[in-house]
Amino acid sequence: MDSRYLTSAQKPQQLPPEDLPEIAVIGRSNCGKSSLINAVLNRKDLARTSSTPGRTQMANFFLVNSKDLIVDLPGYGFSATGKGARKHWQELLNTYFKRRTIRNKLFLMDIRRNINEEDYDLAAFMSTHSPIDLVLTKADKLPQSKVKPALDKHLASFVSRGVDVASSFVISSTKKKGIEKLRSYLFRSED
Ligand SMILES: Nc1nc2c(ncn2[C@@H]2O[C@H](COP(=O)(O)OP(=O)(O)O)[C@@H](O)[C@H]2O)c(=O)[nH]1
Ligand SMILES: [Mg+2]
């Protein structure tokens, strides 16, 4: 698997042309988006990870095997950043999700968190035209016996809110659990 950084967009006009299939990665700040991208691509530090929430209000594009894009979208959860940041994020995301080249939409959630209205709204918005893939992150933070119940609960909640979910995954980027399965789902017959 070969990967490299392609470009970043802070504004809709900076988004790259729609010419390669894309995997969109979205979720609350700090839920583990950049860590997932690094784990899936088998890279240590390609997508930067940070323990400070809300730092990267940019969409970062990475090129995989010269034929797919994986996109680290800016996180949400704006209590610390305010209205201006939220509006800016919404503009970028509204334009981004109109792209016809999006092949997968990974909706990430920290497995320990409860789903709130903001999560439901975003998941519903994302699944308007095609289903999302639900990815529960940081599974290493829960006892093994609580993992399956947490997944079932999250799935049932999203479905009851009318969110269309194609597949679901439970992962730990730190412990590399569930990564192989996610990678083969995303890249199918590719290596
Ligand atoms: N324990 C654990 N921590 C993780 C995992 N994935 C990410 N983290 C940590 O969570 C914090 C935020 O991760 P990051 O990938 O930067 O989240 P992002 O803001 O969504 O891109 C960092 O301190 C990561 O080391 C995981 O699978 N397990
Ligand atoms: Mg990040």
Side-chain angles (χ1 to χ4, degrees):
M1 191 107 100
D2 166 74
S3 56
R4 69 172 178 87
Y5 167 77
L6 186 69
T7 189
S8 298
Q10 214 167 0
K11 301 174 185 161
Q13 314 87 272
Q14 297 168 336
L15 290 165
E18 296 172 53
D19 38 43
L20 292 172
E22 291 178 29
I23 300 161
V25 180
I26 197 159
R28 185 167 289 272
S29 297
N30 220 38
C31 70
K33 296 178 293 297
S34 303
S35 302
L36 173 143
I37 291 174
N38 287 333
V40 164
L41 299 181
N42 225 336
R43 294 283 299 263
K44 235 181 125 107
D45 194 25
L46 181 65
R48 257 173 231 118
T49 62
S50 145
S51 45
T52 313
R55 283 270 283 279
T56 27
Q57 289 301 318
M58 277 202 272
N60 298 307
F61 290 73
F62 303 95
L63 181 64
V64 184
N65 292 337
S66 310
K67 56 188 162 67
D68 293 316
L69 295 177
I70 189 161
V71 190
D72 195 352
L73 289 161
Y76 63 99
F78 295 102
S79 45
T81 42
K83 262 193 183 159
R86 170 184 270 279
K87 185 165 174 277
H88 168 85
W89 176 84
Q90 256 160 359
E91 281 167 5
L92 186 62
L93 271 280
N94 280 337
T95 307
Y96 178 79
F97 280 107
K98 291 194 181 107
R99 289 165 77 83
R100 289 152 305 162
T101 38
I102 301 175
R103 181 177 69 200
N104 290 94
K105 293 173 276 188
L106 305 186
F107 185 83
L108 273 58
M109 275 203 66
D110 183 325
I111 195 165
R112 299 166 296 177
R113 287 205 54 242
N114 290 320
I115 311 169
N116 68 17
E117 289 305 313
E118 200 175 18
D119 302 316
Y120 282 126
D121 286 351
L122 180 60
F125 164 70
M126 282 174 70
S127 77
T128 310
H129 300 295
S130 64
I132 59 166
D133 297 314
L134 179 65
V135 182
L136 299 183
T137 63
K138 309 194 188 184
D140 57 287
K141 295 278 196 182
L142 267 194
Q144 189 57 38
S145 64
K146 300 211 167 141
V147 167
K148 179 75 166 57
L151 173 63
D152 292 346
K153 191 180 130 204
H154 278 78
L155 269 177
S157 307
F158 279 119
V159 170
S160 76
R161 290 292 197 106
V163 177
D164 198 2
V165 181
S167 295
S168 59
F169 300 86
V170 174
I171 65 148
S172 165
S173 298
T174 8
K175 299 274 195 276
K176 303 281 182 286
K177 280 182 76 178
I179 298 296
E180 189 63 58
K181 194 175 157 201
L182 178 60
R183 188 188 293 130
S184 40
Y185 172 76
L186 293 175
F187 299 105
R188 283 150 197 138
S189 59
E190 302 173 28
D191 52 320

